[in-house]
Amino acid sequence: MNRWFLPTGQNPTASTLLWGRAVRAFADGYVAVLLPAYLIALGIGTWEVGVLATATLLGSALATLAIGAWGHLVQHRRLLLGAAMLMTATGCAFAASSTFWPLLLVAFVGTLNPSSGDVSLFLPLEHARIADAADGDARTVLFARYSLVGSLLSAFGALAAAMPGLMTSLAGISSLNALRSMFWLYGFLGLVIWLLYRQLPESHEVTRKAPAPLGPSRKTVIRLAALFSMDSFAGGLVVNALLALWLFKRFDMSVASAGQFFFWSGLCSATSQLAAPRLARRIGLVNTMVFTHIPASVCLIAAAFVPSLHVVLALLIVRSLLSQMDVPARSAFVMAVVTPSERSAAASFTLVPKSLASAAAPTIGGALLASGMLAAPLVLCGVLKISYDLAIWRAFRNERQIGRGRS
């Protein structure tokens, strides 16, 4: 199995990180679909669902920012173990709560992820260790495997969103308790990840007392973080939890049907990422990021206006085939343009916008949906993402050959 996970000749310890990513992705996949259904079952309104999604992203952003600022002072293995225990506590606390304010607190301090991508404090720690395991093309391939595993298991997680309905129909469990049980499962999966990460050896990194985690690459990282923030804010308008809510409201789609759609959507995202390393070798990492993203955004905008559910789902599937191909390319690009000693900090400071800039977006998206402006979140997301693609293509025009051939 490890030979399937890892490119030939890579550090075998990276397989532990890929297994951990797989377990987290499965949990995130069903949570993104079930979160709005669970909150509505508790009597929480549409706007409050957006507020809770914002809290999860904002909390994740602050935690990731802390990793970037002070993570170099602590061994990454210890931080990963602590993050796994926080995941366990998050699932248990969310399952045990029934009112808005306790849920808001848990959402803010915990590890819940309402989006289709990975937005958590796990990410910069894993990226830094994965980057140390490979160079050049092999690094892009390894990040593609990392993204592939995440997308694939997230898809199966979305399919698992049908489990509460099965428990209700087959075992007679109430709908609310069936939904609640999935958050208990989330906590259990945190324990599984903790057991996996216990197998990681202490890394060779030397904890540093220097006050500044970034050095010569500081300006590059700041520019990347600013650009990524635009993309992240746009994505936050249609995180999976809100996209599911949009499908519920516009087409009266059932939770089970939404879970099946997100399964196939995630499967398409997963398989498409296998093409990212090959495409990057031909046209470079920056061009791979941009020229797969723009058509995906066009499909999203078109879906906002199409009256047929089947056509909408087809457009969203095409979007899934294209929208995540930039993920391994972007990760590899960040690791390629900074020095090895800056990688964990660079990963943190460029990943923070995935949560911080998008933190306000679900509230805005939820408010637009609650007001009846159902097309607005999708259109705004698509327009902002296209603007981001054009901006990053122009800003890094001198680095477009990175990743082309063997770098």
Side-chain angles (χ1 to χ4, degrees):
M1 182 64 72
N2 283 353
R3 297 181 71 180
W4 182 89
F5 260 150
L6 294 178
T8 303
Q10 300 308 311
N11 189 333
T13 60
S15 65
T16 301
L17 297 169
L18 297 184
W19 280 111
R21 175 72 182 100
V23 175
R24 287 194 297 109
F26 177 80
D28 289 343
Y30 73 73
V31 162
V33 178
L34 293 180
L35 182 62
Y38 177 58
L39 296 174
I40 290 171
L42 291 172
I44 293 172
T46 299
W47 182 78
E48 286 81 2
V49 172
V51 171
L52 281 162
T54 289
T56 64
L57 294 173
L58 181 59
S60 294
L62 295 177
T64 306
L65 187 63
I67 292 293
W70 300 293
H72 62 287
L73 303 176
V74 183
Q75 285 285 341
H76 290 172
R77 178 178 178 273
R78 298 179 185 178
L79 293 173
L80 285 168
L81 289 172
M85 291 307 298
L86 180 60
M87 180 176 173
T88 295
T90 300
C92 295
F94 216 82
S97 303
S98 299
T99 55
F100 176 75
W101 291 108
L103 289 170
L104 183 66
L105 177 62
V106 175
F108 178 75
V109 302
T111 59
L112 287 182
N113 176 18
S115 72
S116 59
D118 191 0
V119 285
S120 71
L121 71 166
F122 288 95
L123 210 59
L125 302 170
E126 292 171 350
H127 275 205
R129 294 196 67 152
I130 286 176
D132 289 341
D135 294 302
D137 283 349
R139 179 180 296 144
T140 306
V141 172
L142 189 55
F143 272 112
R145 298 286 174 87
Y146 179 86
S147 299
L148 169 66
V149 167
S151 295
L152 190 62
L153 270 295
S154 179
F156 280 99
L159 195 63
M163 289 175 61
L166 292 175
M167 286 188 280
T168 298
S169 61
L170 298 179
I173 301 173
S174 71
S175 177
L176 179 58
N177 286 333
L179 289 166
R180 196 187 300 275
S181 69
M182 299 300 288
F183 290 91
W184 288 115
L185 175 61
Y186 181 91
F188 172 75
L189 293 176
L191 283 178
V192 173
I193 294 170
W194 184 82
L195 291 172
L196 281 170
Y197 286 162
R198 283 195 67 193
Q199 302 173 27
L200 288 173
E202 291 285 355
S203 65
H204 61 270
E205 85 227 7
V206 178
T207 55
R208 299 178 285 126
K209 302 298 182 182
L214 288 175
S217 305
R218 180 182 177 84
K219 289 183 179 179
T220 299
V221 171
I222 290 174
R223 184 162 36 155
L224 284 169
L227 288 167
F228 291 169
S229 67
M230 181 188 300
D231 181 51
S232 300
F233 177 83
L237 292 167
V238 288
V239 293
N240 272 16
L242 289 183
L243 187 57
L245 186 60
W246 181 76
L247 290 170
F248 298 157
K249 290 178 73 69
R250 186 178 179 196
F251 297 105
D252 198 26
M253 181 178 277
S254 68
V255 172
S257 297
Q260 292 175 19
F261 163 71
F262 283 109
F263 164 73
W264 290 109
S265 173
L267 200 62
C268 289
S269 294
T271 55
S272 69
Q273 293 184 53
L274 291 174
R278 293 184 180 182
L279 188 59
R281 280 195 293 270
R282 289 179 174 272
I283 65 175
L285 292 170
V286 173
N287 289 338
T288 299
M289 292 156 58
V290 171
F291 296 125
T292 59
H293 227 213
I294 291 177
S297 298
V298 172
C299 288
L300 183 65
I301 294 171
F305 300 104
V306 172
S308 168
L309 174 60
H310 292 94
V311 177
V312 164
L313 295 181
L315 287 168
L316 293 177
I317 288 293
V318 173
R319 174 188 177 237
S320 298
L321 285 168
L322 298 171
S323 64
Q324 296 300 304
M325 287 180 67
D326 73 312
V327 174
R330 179 162 62 181
S331 300
F333 182 75
V334 172
M335 296 297 102
V337 296
V338 302
T339 63
S341 63
E342 298 173 295
R343 282 174 180 161
S344 62
S348 295
F349 291 132
T350 55
L351 289 169
V352 162
K354 292 176 70 65
S355 298
L356 188 57
S358 64
T363 299
I364 296 172
L368 291 172
L369 291 176
S371 67
M373 301 174 63
L374 298 184
L378 280 68
V379 173
L380 187 56
C381 173
V383 170
L384 288 175
K385 279 184 172 290
I386 291 173
S387 300
Y388 151 78
D389 290 323
L390 296 176
I392 199 167
W393 188 77
R394 180 177 176 81
F396 289 93
R397 57 186 178 274
N398 295 328
E399 286 84 17
R400 290 178 198 162
Q401 298 303 311
I402 291 179
R404 188 173 182 179
R406 295 193 63 86
S407 57

